[in-house]
Amino acid sequence: MKKIIYYILSVSILAVAISCDNNFDELNTNKVSATSIDPAFQLNNATISSAYTTGTLIYEIGIVQQIISPNSGLMTGANYNQDNRGVTDDNWQAYYRNVIKNTKDVINRIKDDPTRVNLYHMTRIIQANAFMVLTDTYGSIPYFEGGEGYSQQIYLPVYDSQEAIYADLIKELTEASAALDPAGRIESADILYGGDIMKWKSFGYSLLLRAGMRLSEIDPALARSVVQEAEQGGVILTNADNAVLAHDPNYTNPIGNMLNATEASNFYLTDVFVKFLQNTEDPRLKAIAVTYVGATSGPEQLPANASFDPMIQVGMPMGNDNVGAVRAASELGLASFYEFAQVDRRRLASLTAQNFLVTASQNFLLLAEARQRGWITSGEVETYYNAAVRAHMDQLGTVNEASSISIAEANAYLAANPFEEARAIEQINTQYWVSSFLNGPEAFANFRRTGYPMLAPNPFQGREVEFINRLTYPNSEISVNSENVSAAIAAQGPDNLATKVWWDK
């Protein structure tokens, strides 16, 4: 009897095992998990991830002396002109992991697909923007092999010189912008322009204009040729066409998120920036700044004691640690350093504030400089200049209605601060500094290219350099990809804040 029971049990187990094996594939297949993704959604991911990182507050925006923190530790950066590799890797990690990983994969997947030609060229443009930010930040970077770990299993990419990178960026932007076809497939899932191919064209040519102007001091002849190509192609000249990333409660503005959380009371407008706007009676100061009258702590920075009056805004002097900021506030008659002016985190630096990649105001100023140099023949320098100022003032109101500036205010400002041909390059690029507010990478790059605005060195006694010229490579690269990093350093110069990138002359 026991043998019969054992036999029946064994047969039953065997039958179940055979049954499980027969249905193994079906039982172990996730029927709700995506096995492939529309490359348009990958491009959207890359586009969203192009927003400027929180690290730009600590470095790029501070380097150009617009916003600074007196704190040390994690906040160490442009406040002291010191290296902080816990932050200098922000652009690297954000762009390689979230932008270029996706764009490289999309390009590899659809480059030979005739039905997705427009998407292919749109992706090339977003990728070019990311690589331009990266090479302008660090100099030599993995470019041709960069971001190919996921798609091509290249885990230790070689570094390419900035000269070689810019040559290819110009090629990519020229080809992609020209090849975009309004008669082709419209990628309606696109979150940047809703598939509007003509706006993508103007975005691509705008980046080409930016790339051309970046070479103004290192290769004027090439710069002129590239700028002419971009101007003839058609760049962004209205705020309606700005390359702008919208944010919402699910996809918040990184800088806004930082300034509305733990660092809300740790960053302040500099006295350099505030005084420049005050001295010219610039209406943009009231659109940008807020001071919390009488605040003696972060919790006292409340809407009830907020003032936007431009005449009472006091910027934090450069070169102060926390102790120095307390002393400076006392000497200036403030209740505490918490009363220094800040970028208003409920308007321009809110959680849902837009992030501007390229704007009409920036383009007008680049065209003004190109016209002044004689590189283009259309338009007048002063006309471009005035249009740029008006465009930026109008742009502020698109971020938040409470930051709107009237036409009358813009007219009064230009009348009181007219364009002067003798100071054309200085005026144009100082306005570029203002127009690029909160776009740290672009303000930092144009400041190095032109030397404007004319800023005094950070006076902090423990500074490592007078001016920061580039950010340092991530520790992860130095430890993992050491051979290629070493080769880049040998060709470019020491991996420190003083070494200049190729085009910085």
Side-chain angles (χ1 to χ4, degrees):
M1 184 68 180
K2 288 182 178 179
K3 289 183 177 181
I4 295 173
I5 294 174
Y6 178 80
Y7 175 77
I8 295 171
L9 182 61
S10 297
V11 171
S12 299
I13 292 172
L14 180 61
V16 170
I18 293 172
S19 174
C20 288
D21 186 63
N22 287 340
N23 296 287
F24 182 81
D25 289 342
E26 182 179 354
L27 291 171
N28 288 277
T29 299
N30 188 333
K31 297 181 179 180
V32 297
S33 179
T35 56
S36 65
I37 185 171
D38 188 324
F41 298 142
Q42 278 186 276
L43 176 58
N44 283 345
N45 192 332
T47 301
I48 293 170
S49 300
S50 299
Y52 306 119
T53 67
T54 57
T56 61
L57 268 177
I58 298 172
Y59 273 101
E60 291 97 315
I61 297 174
I63 293 169
V64 298
Q65 300 184 12
Q66 291 177 329
I67 298 176
I68 210 78
S69 171
N71 295 349
S72 58
L74 181 62
M75 298 296 107
T76 298
N79 52 352
Y80 304 154
N81 274 25
Q82 293 178 350
D83 193 9
N84 176 3
R85 293 181 190 242
V87 177
T88 57
D89 66 355
D90 273 20
N91 285 339
W92 190 284
Q93 307 290 8
Y95 282 86
Y96 274 117
R97 291 179 179 179
N98 303 320
V99 182
I100 293 165
K101 174 184 174 181
N102 280 294
T103 57
K104 286 276 185 138
D105 187 49
V106 170
I107 288 170
N108 285 328
R109 289 174 60 194
I110 68 172
K111 61 184 177 182
D112 298 320
D113 184 349
T115 69
R116 308 305 290 271
V117 171
N118 278 337
L119 184 67
Y120 169 62
H121 296 304
M122 290 155 60
T123 305
R124 294 171 78 186
I125 290 170
I126 287 293
Q127 180 168 278
N129 176 70
F131 270 128
M132 196 183 303
V133 171
L134 284 167
T135 189
D136 289 346
T137 301
Y138 303 100
S140 298
I141 57 169
Y143 178 76
F144 293 102
E145 293 183 355
E148 295 285 12
Y150 178 71
S151 299
Q152 304 296 324
Q153 290 74 59
I154 299 175
Y155 303 119
L156 300 175
V158 299
Y159 281 53
D160 302 290
S161 71
Q162 189 174 57
E163 182 176 7
I165 292 167
Y166 258 88
D168 198 68
L169 286 175
I170 290 167
K171 177 188 76 68
E172 285 291 289
L173 289 168
T174 301
E175 291 180 358
S177 302
L180 284 166
D181 183 5
R185 173 172 171 167
I186 301 302
E187 298 289 347
S188 57
D190 158 41
I191 61 168
L192 187 61
Y193 287 123
D196 189 321
I197 296 303
M198 295 309 296
K199 289 186 178 182
W200 270 97
K201 273 183 172 288
S202 63
F203 176 34
Y205 281 120
S206 297
L207 289 174
L208 185 63
L209 172 64
R210 181 176 287 182
M213 292 302 295
R214 206 75 96 222
L215 308 184
S216 63
E217 306 306 313
I218 189 70
D219 193 340
L222 177 59
R224 175 176 183 160
S225 174
V226 174
V227 167
Q228 289 174 348
E229 180 84 23
E231 189 258 346
Q232 291 166 11
V235 300
I236 295 168
L237 294 177
T238 67
N239 284 331
D241 294 343
N242 284 345
V244 55
L245 303 179
H247 293 101
D248 61 26
N250 294 313
Y251 297 97
T252 57
N253 183 313
I255 291 175
N257 189 51
M258 186 177 188
L259 293 181
N260 281 277
T262 56
E263 308 305 331
S265 57
N266 289 331
F267 285 90
Y268 296 86
L269 295 173
T270 69
D271 62 343
V272 176
F273 189 57
V274 170
K275 286 177 181 177
F276 174 80
L277 298 177
Q278 284 177 333
N279 290 343
T280 55
E281 297 185 3
D282 195 320
R284 284 173 286 193
L285 182 57
K286 69 181 178 65
I288 292 170
V290 61
T291 188
Y292 296 95
V293 179
T296 59
S297 66
E300 291 183 15
Q301 292 178 336
L302 300 169
N305 61 340
S307 175
F308 312 118
D309 182 351
M311 299 313 297
I312 71 167
Q313 306 296 323
V314 178
M316 180 175 284
M318 294 292 300
N320 286 294
D321 57 14
N322 200 274
V323 172
V326 171
R327 182 173 57 250
S330 176
E331 292 172 352
L332 290 165
L334 303 181
S336 74
F337 77 71
Y338 294 101
E339 199 175 356
F340 279 120
Q342 295 181 294
V343 57
D344 189 359
R345 57 184 179 270
R346 296 176 177 86
R347 292 184 294 163
L348 296 193
S350 72
L351 288 170
T352 57
Q354 297 100 314
N355 195 219
F356 294 89
L357 302 181
V358 179
T359 68
S361 178
Q362 291 171 327
N363 283 345
F364 277 126
L365 289 166
L366 293 180
L367 291 173
E369 182 179 345
R371 184 71 179 88
Q372 180 68 24
R373 290 174 177 270
W375 291 354
I376 60 174
T377 58
S378 61
E380 298 298 329
V381 179
E382 183 175 1
T383 302
Y384 286 133
Y385 178 86
N386 291 342
V389 173
R390 295 180 189 279
H392 186 241
M393 290 185 178
D394 181 62
Q395 176 189 318
L396 295 174
T398 69
V399 180
N400 190 291
E401 188 177 354
S403 292
S404 297
I405 295 171
S406 69
I407 294 175
E409 289 175 306
N411 290 341
Y413 172 79
L414 289 169
N417 303 276
F419 172 77
E420 301 174 35
E421 187 173 359
R423 298 176 55 230
I425 300 297
E426 176 188 353
Q427 280 188 304
I428 289 166
N429 287 289
T430 301
Q431 284 295 333
Y432 201 91
W433 174 59
V434 179
S435 288
S436 299
F437 181 67
L438 294 181
N439 182 339
E442 185 58 20
F444 178 39
N446 201 65
F447 167 64
R448 286 175 290 166
R449 177 181 73 86
T450 66
Y452 295 111
M454 292 185 288
L455 302 174
N458 185 333
F460 186 72
Q461 291 186 351
R463 69 190 182 191
E464 295 178 13
V465 291
E466 285 196 350
F467 284 104
I468 295 173
N469 293 317
R470 64 178 285 276
L471 302 191
T472 51
Y473 293 128
N475 284 328
S476 57
E477 276 292 292
I478 294 170
S479 62
V480 175
N481 196 13
S482 56
E483 183 176 343
N484 289 319
V485 173
S486 296
I489 292 171
Q492 177 173 265
D495 183 28
N496 58 33
L497 303 177
T499 296
K500 291 186 175 185
V501 299
W502 167 72
W503 51 251
D504 182 4
K505 298 301 177 183

